[in-house]
Amino acid sequence: MRRFLFPLGLFFSLVCLLGAGLRLNPQEIPSPLIGKPAPAFALAQLALPDKTFGPQDMQGQVWLLNVWASWCTACRQEHPLLLELAGRNQVSIVGMDYMDARADGAKWLEKHGNPYRLSILDSDGKVGIDYGVYGVPETFVIDKRGVIRLKLAGPVTAEIIEKKLLPLIKELNRA
């Protein structure tokens, strides 16, 4: 009987770990950047290549950094929701066109609409690496002090906007 205790204990431990894993939200990626200052950068704007943008330009504002690309299928899914969110004028959304060609990104925004206050071009993906981007779309919530407060992987949904993003944005704007 004692020889079955170890395998039985191991089995229950695995069941507990799997049960805990099922409760996790796959869109909320634990990131070492949460609670830390957004990595600095200066990237050329998509529409105005002679002008640059960096997180310091948004100091004092709560804002979203949405990583997207013209080649990204999932970006098409979230794009109408970003247009709707931008229309509410509750938060500025900055787009980071990731690993894309300038002409393709500009053409995509022209075709699908532009929810972004501005878009920047990370054509070589180096800034994306600094932000821990491993796929698009990804969205970061950055507070007034320039600290990353949330990272979402995958397309934002109406439920995420209503239940997670807007309450967090409201809370951060009060702080």
Side-chain angles (χ1 to χ4, degrees):
M1 183 72 171
R2 293 181 91 186
R3 67 181 187 183
F4 295 114
L5 287 179
F6 178 73
L8 190 60
L10 185 62
F11 173 77
F12 282 117
S13 296
L14 285 174
V15 168
C16 290
L17 285 173
L18 290 173
L22 290 174
R23 292 183 181 174
L24 297 175
N25 183 344
Q27 286 198 304
E28 291 183 25
I29 305 292
S31 170
L33 294 176
I34 302 296
K36 300 210 171 128
F41 62 81
L43 287 176
Q45 295 184 22
L46 186 65
L48 303 168
D50 56 328
K51 290 190 171 187
T52 60
F53 170 85
Q56 67 279 359
D57 295 324
M58 297 300 284
Q59 201 72 21
Q61 297 179 53
V62 177
W63 60 289
L64 302 181
L65 177 65
N66 178 254
V67 184
W68 65 280
S70 66
W71 46 263
C72 165
T73 305
C75 296
R76 290 182 189 181
Q77 181 183 343
E78 77 169 1
H79 200 73
L81 295 168
L82 293 176
L83 285 167
E84 184 183 318
L85 180 61
R88 293 181 183 192
N89 294 321
Q90 294 181 345
V91 67
S92 290
I93 308 171
V94 173
M96 184 163 73
D97 190 6
Y98 182 70
M99 307 280 290
D100 208 355
R102 180 179 303 279
D104 293 342
K107 189 175 175 181
W108 196 86
L109 287 178
E110 186 178 315
K111 180 178 179 183
H112 298 284
N114 189 349
Y116 305 113
R117 176 177 172 167
L118 61 95
S119 278
I120 49 181
L121 181 62
D122 185 20
S123 59
D124 59 9
K126 288 182 180 173
V127 172
I129 290 171
D130 290 343
Y131 276 76
V133 172
Y134 58 87
V136 288
E138 288 189 10
T139 303
F140 297 85
V141 177
I142 302 173
D143 72 13
K144 294 176 184 177
R145 296 177 300 134
V147 174
I148 295 176
R149 302 299 294 259
L150 178 69
K151 175 183 179 180
L152 296 169
V156 295
T157 63
E159 183 179 350
I160 288 172
I161 289 172
E162 294 301 326
K163 292 184 176 175
K164 187 150 282 221
L165 286 181
L166 290 177
L168 178 60
I169 290 164
K170 192 178 284 186
E171 177 188 328
L172 294 174
N173 275 323
R174 280 192 300 247

